Amino acid sequence: MLKAIVGLNWGDEGKGRMVDNLSAEADYTVRYHGGSNAGHTIHTDRGKFKLHSLPSSVLRPTVTGVLGPGMTVDVEGFLGEFEAIREQGVTADRMLVADAASICFPFHRDLDGAEEERLSDGRYGSTRRGISPAYGDRVMKKTLLVRELFDRENLPARLAAVLDWANERLVQIYRAAPLRLEEVTRWAEGMAERLEPHVVDATDLLGKALDDGATVIAEGQLGALKDLYYGIYPYTTSSTCLAGHAPVGIGVPWARVDRTVGVTKAFSSCVGAGPLVTEFDEERADRLRRQWGEYGSTTNRPRRLGAFDAVATRYGVRVQGADEVAVTNLDQLSGTGELDLCVAYRRDGRTVREFSPRPAELAASTPMYETLPGWDEDISDVRSYEQLPSGARQYVEAIEELLGVPVRHVSVGSHRDALIEIK
């Protein structure tokens, strides 16, 4: 069985904790796109774990985690994160990297940061982890696949070609110092030696696993509104975040996703530039941000906050093909007073209920709200849906009705166990 756990919004929805929870009954968890540019945070009795490259099942010792061929792998980041988590007492030996994944070199980070600086006020809000230039280079055939690190005969020529293209941009466009082939070659050889025990043919591994009846979870990064093709372009990531891409990105393009879990916060949050229709004013956003700890897991940048946007989230459900929804961070709304749900937009004097990913149309839209009473009780210890305050249940049920798919999970706290399953 192949399950996909994906974001319905702008990212930061809490996918990591859902992967951690649902992988308890899985055999494999596979990251199918992206790189180290978005973080997943998991809270356990051992402490808080912030993951960037590793699959969120890493805390489950019986689950094999794979960085799939659809990823661009920050090799240094992966190895560093692997060692760090082992030092925290986690057995992480079942972490593998697809040989067909492409490499995000350190110079990709340099290129990413330099381009954001060049754009100045027009920047996209990149995490500066090198994702955009790394994916661009894969499309242009100007980077290496992981397996090429072990091709001793052809590696020098391939590295020279890759470096030539990188230096053209660094020197001619960004006026930076050129990279030296000898240094990059030493880096590649050192990384190859450390990475080799983790490298696997993901297509062979997962193809056989699915044939044998294994349960595989495809772990998405970011969310539908950041998807390269169906998100709010150009305020997107450089890969496709959609569940429909999961079979390709994990290495089994002939497979079919059997179940898709779409994850959304109980409110809106976004890191980076682009329109956010329900965004709070800065005073309210800053107060709630500090109260809730809403800062990016990767960059620690303050997240932009707003009311729950059913128009945008319903679009996320549609393009993700979500069979069910998990609503996270419900506990953060306790004691915040009446709650607004955006049920439609007002644009050009018309009521609009269908989401458009066109930035100009979103910028010209204002939210239309339905207001619910809210609740004051602390719900972080509640483990049964029936024990939630009536206001919390009313809020969840309103979201379910607006999205048109069942809400099956609700998180009520940061700890991995603070999760309610709705039958």
Side-chain angles (χ1 to χ4, degrees):
M1 171 178 278
L2 176 58
K3 303 177 183 178
I5 300 177
V6 294
L8 300 178
N9 305 120
W10 299 264
D12 299 312
E13 298 99 343
K15 296 179 294 298
R17 64 103 37 78
M18 292 308 305
V19 172
D20 172 60
N21 178 269
L22 296 177
S23 65
E25 299 177 356
D27 301 293
Y28 297 87
T29 296
V30 191
R31 290 274 312 278
Y32 66 88
H33 71 105
S36 60
N37 55 319
H40 294 168
T41 304
I42 301 170
H43 296 252
T44 74
D45 292 337
R46 300 184 187 183
K48 180 190 295 187
F49 296 85
K50 288 189 175 183
L51 308 174
H52 303 283
S53 294
L54 300 181
S56 297
S57 63
V58 66
L59 304 181
R60 303 284 182 184
T62 61
V63 181
T64 298
V66 184
L67 277 63
M71 288 187 67
T72 180
V73 178
D74 176 349
V75 179
E76 283 183 338
F78 166 76
L79 292 169
E81 197 171 322
F82 176 81
E83 293 301 330
I85 206 164
R86 290 182 65 178
E87 290 175 2
Q88 289 181 269
V90 176
T91 303
D93 296 334
R94 300 166 72 97
M95 289 291 113
L96 304 174
V97 178
D99 65 352
S102 58
I103 295 174
C104 182
F105 283 89
F107 64 73
H108 284 128
R109 296 194 293 269
D110 297 337
L111 288 164
D112 200 356
E115 177 62 9
E116 282 289 278
E117 292 303 316
R118 188 189 71 83
L119 290 170
S120 187
D121 292 341
R123 66 189 61 173
Y124 299 129
S126 168
T127 59
R128 304 185 182 219
R129 292 299 181 101
I131 304 304
S132 179
Y135 267 115
D137 282 357
R138 176 156 194 172
V139 172
M140 294 187 68
K141 301 171 285 292
K142 300 290 188 181
T143 188
L144 299 185
L145 303 186
V146 167
R147 60 180 173 238
E148 293 187 89
L149 289 174
F150 311 101
D151 182 356
R152 307 300 185 191
E153 181 179 351
N154 295 303
L155 181 61
R158 289 286 290 121
L159 272 177
V162 165
L163 207 58
D164 180 65
W165 173 235
N167 278 334
E168 281 293 318
R169 288 171 289 168
L170 285 169
V171 175
Q172 300 299 327
I173 299 176
Y174 302 117
R175 303 292 186 261
L179 301 165
R180 298 182 49 158
L181 179 59
E182 297 81 4
E183 294 177 358
V184 177
T185 300
R186 282 197 298 272
W187 178 91
E189 291 173 346
M191 291 298 107
E193 183 177 352
R194 295 172 60 195
L195 189 65
E196 190 167 15
H198 301 279
V199 177
V200 67
D201 181 335
T203 298
D204 181 64
L205 175 72
L206 297 173
K208 290 177 179 176
L210 288 171
D211 287 345
D212 292 340
T215 296
V216 178
I217 290 178
E219 178 178 4
Q221 186 195 63
L222 294 168
L225 305 182
K226 291 288 188 179
D227 181 74
L228 178 61
Y229 298 107
Y230 296 94
I232 307 171
Y233 189 86
Y235 304 103
T236 66
T237 191
S238 299
S239 61
T240 179
C241 311
L242 303 187
H245 179 71
V248 175
I250 70 171
V252 286
W254 63 86
R256 180 179 301 173
V257 176
D258 298 290
R259 176 186 171 204
T260 298
V261 180
V263 186
T264 180
K265 271 180 176 168
F267 50 90
S268 295
S269 73
C270 172
V271 173
L276 183 62
V277 174
T278 66
E279 188 164 15
F280 295 146
D281 64 71
E282 186 50 39
E283 185 279 327
R284 183 181 183 188
D286 186 59
R287 173 171 50 82
L288 292 175
R289 186 184 299 123
R290 286 185 280 107
Q291 178 181 331
W292 294 344
E294 286 289 335
Y295 298 88
S297 298
T298 296
T299 62
N300 204 39
R301 287 183 296 177
R303 291 178 181 143
R304 299 161 60 195
L305 301 177
F308 184 86
D309 188 337
V311 181
T313 309
R314 191 163 53 240
Y315 176 80
V317 167
R318 174 77 168 176
V319 297
Q320 292 285 19
D323 300 299
E324 61 186 72
V325 170
V327 176
T328 63
N329 299 65
L330 186 68
D331 54 298
Q332 292 180 196
L333 297 180
S334 294
T336 58
E338 292 185 330
L339 301 172
D340 290 330
L341 283 171
C342 175
V343 298
Y345 297 160
R346 193 73 177 167
R347 185 168 63 239
D348 299 328
R350 297 179 298 111
T351 297
V352 178
R353 299 186 185 277
E354 296 300 320
F355 183 82
S356 166
R358 298 176 179 85
E361 292 187 9
L362 292 173
S365 300
T366 55
M368 299 177 66
Y369 290 118
E370 173 185 336
T371 302
L372 299 179
W375 63 94
D376 293 326
E377 298 92 330
D378 179 0
I379 62 174
S380 58
D381 291 328
V382 175
R383 296 295 180 269
S384 166
Y385 184 71
E386 292 72 21
Q387 294 177 348
L388 285 173
S390 60
R393 295 198 307 272
Q394 184 180 352
Y395 188 76
V396 171
E397 288 157 15
I399 289 175
E400 182 177 73
E401 182 176 356
L402 287 164
L403 298 186
V405 290
V407 174
R408 295 298 188 208
H409 294 87
V410 177
S411 80
V412 292
S414 60
H415 194 277
R416 73 191 319 185
D417 296 330
L419 191 67
I420 295 171
E421 183 176 359
I422 304 174
K423 304 296 185 180

